[in-house]
Amino acid sequence: MTMRLGFTDRRRPAPPAGLLRIWNGFATARVVVAVALLLLQAVIQALGQQHSAVFLAVCLAYLAGTLVARIYLQPRRNDATLGSLWLPTIGADLLAYSAMQVLQSGGMNYMPLLGLPVLMASVLGNRRMALGTAAGVTLLLLADATLLWPDATGFSTPRLLQAGLTGLGYFVIAVLVQPLATRLAREEAIARSSQRAATLQAQVNELVIETLTDGVLVVDAAGMVRATNPAARVLLDAGAYTPPFSLSEQPVWEPLAELARRTVADGGRQMVDLALVHPGHGPRRLHVRTRLTPLRERPSETLCVMFLQDLRETEARLRTEKLAAMGRMSAAVAHEIRNPLAAIVQANALLDEDLHDPAQRQLSALVRQNAQRLAKIAEEVLDVSRAQRQLDFDGTPTIPLDETVGAVCSDWHGHAGQGCGLQVATEAGAGVRVDFDPDHLRRVLVNLLDNALRYIGPDRDALQVRTWAAAGGQALLEVWSDGAPLEQMVEQRLFEPFFSSESRSSGLGLYICRELCERHGAGIGYRRVERATALGPVDGNAFTVAFRPPHDVAADSPFDTIVV
């Protein structure tokens, strides 16, 4: 370890807190010893014994040196020992205590103070520094006993033995303390590494728990919630509550409190389905799994960890997976039945040429109509497969919105919408263009118009198509009809494939609209809104398409913000 003299460099990593505490402890002890020596001299002066000015100067200089070391000196790096700081610390101590011993005029013995430098070198230095300091202190003790205080008959043998034993004790201290300090430093480094790993793991765990779609509750035996994640607060409708709070504060949470008590009492895992009935809302069905975990500080006390799953989301995921599998199978079936269906249509057309009986011709027309219906369903199923292929925005043409919508509405009204009241308001502007394949936009708009045609009233403005540009420049298209409100169940599943409220519908029209819009970076949604008609304001069903802004070929990334 290397320690450098000077101020702490903030650009370098700070030494560990344990090393700083030990260093500050020794530095403070040196200041305390220096102050105690000055106070001792003041007491001796008060008792009438005088010391030389040089002795007092040494004491004052030692106090000043210890204060400077305490304020300005400290290790800079984690791998440091005393190094160059040996001289201004341990070296200064040896010099000061030896000078005091030589200059003192009374019978005071300052040599026991040499134990502080030995201990400091053993704790903060390496083995060589500790043994070297102990050897130096032993030589000073022997010199003091041999040269400074000979008695009348010669050198004092007891003093030499005492100096030797004291030096031997200092060697023992150095040999025992230095490996212990090294081991403690190594253990501290391992503990710091383990603490960093534990802190990182705790942060990862917190991040995972915070982002889980499943709710997590930590409840004690008294029903107090110790911890929770955002998903659990949403499921419990507990946005205003922060842990700790009691599950008994709301009657709707009583099933969870009872489950926690049962889990703690049984000492095992629980897995149940329950419903939380919030006032003003329908019941929220949950699948709850519980586990027990002991407290670290009190192993005898356990906590109940609850994992909450919204059954509606689980069922929705299962339904989506089933629908995806059904869609792949349906696409394969639709592809296989087109050829025999074409043969049936062709054979029926040839047969119809030779029929003259009205009843037989009626049967032939029935075959033709149902064959056309089957062909349309097969085509819709195949359109789903085509729509699911990712489109390249660079290859998508940019088309004028108002012109395209006006042309599609005119063609549709002339063929399928004859007799219905259709109002078209193209208000986006001639300069507004959108990234959308024209055939795909035609398919989306025709599907929306066909869907609305089934439910509109007889008024001439019962069906309205409108385009406009929002304040931010985004282009929008809306198809509004004066039909009755949709049932809640129907509204929730509007864009699901193969779902329809009518038995004669394939349930793929709105799903294809959504797929085509999403592949072009657009979004489609439904809402119940009020529009002005000849009879006044009327509530109706509105399907709105929010287009992706025109693609900027100079942009750095092709993945711009998609409005949904």
Side-chain angles (χ1 to χ4, degrees), residues 45-59:
Q45 292 278 2
L47 294 177
Q49 184 178 354
Q50 299 295 325
H51 281 292
S52 65
V54 177
F55 184 90
L56 294 177
V58 170
C59 293

Side-chain angles (χ1 to χ4, degrees), residues 427-513:
E427 303 171 356
V432 175
R433 306 176 68 85
V434 294
D435 285 343
F436 220 99
D437 185 270
D439 292 335
H440 291 170
L441 181 58
R442 173 182 291 274
R443 184 62 186 273
V444 170
L445 186 52
V446 168
N447 277 351
L448 294 177
L449 291 172
D450 288 341
N451 191 60
L453 183 62
R454 304 189 186 102
Y455 309 105
I456 62 173
D459 301 323
R460 68 175 183 272
D461 50 5
L463 182 58
Q464 300 180 13
V465 177
R466 175 184 172 222
T467 62
W468 76 98
Q474 185 180 28
L476 297 105
L477 165 66
E478 180 184 85
V479 177
W480 179 90
S481 62
D482 63 353
L486 300 180
E487 297 180 4
Q488 184 177 3
M489 185 270 293
V490 175
E491 181 179 347
Q492 292 175 350
R493 305 179 61 183
L494 266 178
F495 297 98
E496 289 185 7
F498 306 106
F499 173 78
S500 176
S501 58
E502 294 185 355
S503 60
R504 296 180 61 86
S505 174
S506 65
L508 292 172
L510 291 178
Y511 174 71
I512 293 173
C513 291

Side-chain angles (χ1 to χ4, degrees), residues 143-156 159:
D144 175 67
T146 303
L147 303 177
L148 300 180
W149 280 331
D151 57 16
T153 61
F155 297 112
S156 175
R159 286 185 179 275

Side-chain angles (χ1 to χ4, degrees), residues 62-142:
Y62 180 63
L63 176 60
T66 57
L67 288 174
V68 170
R70 177 65 180 85
I71 297 173
Y72 295 111
L73 299 184
Q74 74 173 35
R76 289 185 176 184
R77 292 181 304 195
N78 294 347
D79 59 346
T81 59
L82 286 176
S84 60
L85 286 182
W86 185 92
L87 183 60
T89 55
I90 296 176
D93 290 347
L94 297 178
L95 181 63
Y97 299 152
S98 301
M100 292 178 190
Q101 181 68 21
V102 171
L103 297 174
Q104 61 93 16
S105 58
M108 294 293 296
N109 185 7
Y110 294 95
M111 300 308 286
L113 293 176
L114 294 173
L116 179 62
V118 174
L119 187 61
M120 188 173 181
S122 301
V123 173
L124 294 175
N126 53 30
R127 180 184 294 271
R128 183 173 58 180
M129 183 178 295
L131 295 177
T133 303
V137 169
T138 302
L139 291 176
L140 289 175
L141 291 173
L142 292 175

Side-chain angles (χ1 to χ4, degrees), residues 285-305:
R285 296 184 299 115
L286 301 178
H287 177 71
V288 185
R289 295 177 292 115
T290 62
R291 300 290 187 272
L292 290 179
T293 179
L295 286 174
R296 291 183 178 178
E297 59 273 15
R298 294 188 298 274
S300 60
E301 184 179 349
T302 58
L303 295 176
C304 177
V305 182

